[in-house]
Amino acid sequence: MEPRGDLTPLVRIDVGGTWVRIDSDGALRRTPAPSRINHPDVPAPALVDRLLDQLVSAAPDTGRVVVSLGAATDDVTGTVRGSGPLWGDWRMDRDLVGELRRARPGVEWHVFNDVTCGLADFAESVAHESPASVGYLTISSGIGLKIADLGTRTVKVDDDGLQGEVGHLPAVLPLEQAHLGRLPCECGGSGHLASIGSGPGIARVAAALGVGRYSTDWFRDALAAGDEEAGTLLATVTRPVAELLRTIWVTQPWMAVVGIGGGVVEGVGAAYRSALLTHLRDAGGYAAGSPDAWERRVRLLDRPGVDVLRGAQLLAERSLVVTRAQEVVSTP
Ligand SMILES: [Zn+2]
């Protein structure tokens, strides 16, 4: 949608599984999200209705509202497909943007997937390096990846409007850890990347490895203190993430940098990147890539982390444009 004349006031909203953050003219407030996490007994369609009410009541009568939504979303059409933290395993096909426009027609609404918003913010921060292509990998309650082609300033998606739902790919595990392939995933599957590497996944791996002391606070503090058990746990949960990064570069060598962020990375900090680089350097073989190249490629976004509110605003301003993959390759 092309920008119209009057785009003020601007309201920026971040919908996560736990909180909804609303930034109205620089004043930021936070309310509990109407989510499956906060309301496990409320049916998913009713939770979506509550979210719509919350978004509409936060909107002014005119101006622009940009939303970063923690759900699998078709960023071309604004159709929402589903979200484990918000709505559990319920799969839907709901025109959220259309409903918002009908409820508050004087407002220019923009709704984007939160990983796309994180990508837009990260891409802006590395644009001065003129990379051909950048990625953003989020490791939090789930795992997601989005890649932008900065030559065309596009994010290419498939027919369903999706790209980079990597959390539900099978985790690549060494033979001695094959038993971790039985660990469940929020999607109902098992042995997925998110079964092992996401926030809930790390807790599952800790239990499987017999780390009885595990909590997120213990993990951070123990890593800082050089605790061996914590180091082994971090090495285990980052291994399949490193394999994902290697796959990205083998198939897409034009990728210049990948920013790695999200709640898990922000909590663990610099040790997370060190663990990834150790796996990537240890691979061996002529196709492994040089250590210097991995140092350049893998960026840690722990502090201050990505700003999805800014990312949503950048996408509304078309700093990146989400487009169907086949539309990009069509040439005269
Ligand atoms: Zn899964």
Side-chain angles (χ1 to χ4, degrees):
M1 181 174 174
E2 293 301 322
R4 293 193 311 230
D6 183 13
L7 297 176
T8 56
L10 171 68
V11 175
R12 308 186 302 174
I13 303 176
D14 168 28
V15 179
T18 311
W19 298 101
V20 174
R21 296 188 303 140
I22 300 169
D23 171 28
S24 183
D25 282 334
L28 192 66
R29 62 193 165 89
R30 194 173 82 155
T31 59
S35 65
R36 173 57 51 92
I37 287 176
N38 292 335
H39 304 278
D41 300 327
V42 178
L47 290 172
V48 179
D49 289 340
R50 287 189 197 180
L51 177 63
L52 276 163
D53 288 345
Q54 202 167 344
L55 294 174
V56 170
S57 65
D61 292 331
T62 58
R64 172 182 272 182
V65 178
V66 301
V67 181
S68 165
L69 182 64
T73 306
D74 182 340
D75 286 321
V76 177
T77 62
T79 304
V80 177
R81 308 286 184 203
S83 164
L86 284 170
W87 307 305
D89 59 6
W90 187 54
R91 289 182 65 175
M92 63 178 188
D93 196 4
R94 194 156 163 175
D95 178 16
L96 199 68
V97 173
E99 293 185 49
L100 290 166
R101 284 181 186 145
R102 282 189 288 279
R104 193 58 68 88
V107 170
E108 188 187 291
W109 289 95
H110 297 268
V111 178
F112 303 104
N113 167 255
D114 60 343
V115 187
T116 316
C117 294
L119 171 68
D121 183 52
F122 176 60
E124 190 78 0
S125 73
V126 296
H128 63 280
E129 300 173 32
S130 304
S133 181
V134 299
Y136 170 60
L137 177 66
T138 178
I139 314 281
S140 58
S141 54
I143 296 181
L145 170 74
K146 278 272 164 65
I147 296 168
D149 175 351
L150 294 191
T152 56
R153 301 205 71 85
T154 53
V155 180
K156 302 177 185 80
V157 294
D158 68 12
D159 289 347
D160 296 317
L162 302 181
Q163 188 224 95
E165 298 287 331
V166 293
H168 306 291
L169 293 174
V172 177
L173 294 165
L175 205 52
E176 66 273 18
Q177 290 177 336
H179 61 286
L180 298 177
R182 288 196 290 271
L183 292 176
C185 183
E186 273 65 31
C187 71
S190 62
H192 292 175
L193 186 56
S195 304
I196 288 155
S198 70
I202 294 172
R204 283 189 286 262
V205 173
L209 297 182
V211 184
R213 298 177 289 169
Y214 179 78
S215 70
T216 53
D217 287 346
W218 169 84
F219 195 32
R220 183 193 57 234
D221 295 343
L223 285 168
D227 181 274
E228 195 175 327
E229 200 174 35
T232 301
L233 177 59
L234 182 62
T236 303
V237 300
T238 51
R239 173 81 183 255
V241 178
E243 294 298 338
L244 171 68
L245 290 173
R246 197 192 315 284
T247 303
I248 292 171
W249 263 286
V250 167
T251 55
Q252 303 185 50
W254 49 85
M255 178 85 77
V257 285
V258 167
I260 302 178
V264 167
V265 172
E266 290 171 19
V268 171
Y272 196 93
R273 179 172 180 270
S274 302
L276 281 178
L277 290 176
T278 300
H279 290 306
L280 292 164
R281 288 192 201 106
D282 286 353
Y286 66 88
S290 75
D292 287 352
W294 288 115
E295 287 277 348
R296 280 196 310 276
R297 291 164 176 165
V298 179
R299 307 286 171 89
L300 188 78
L301 306 172
D302 61 336
R303 292 202 186 102
V306 294
D307 183 348
V308 292
L309 293 172
R310 198 172 88 101
Q313 184 179 349
L314 286 166
L315 289 169
E317 293 164 0
R318 300 174 72 82
S319 75
L320 293 175
V321 176
V322 182
T323 177
R324 300 264 187 259
Q326 59 271 47
E327 290 167 12
V328 176
V329 296
S330 61
T331 50

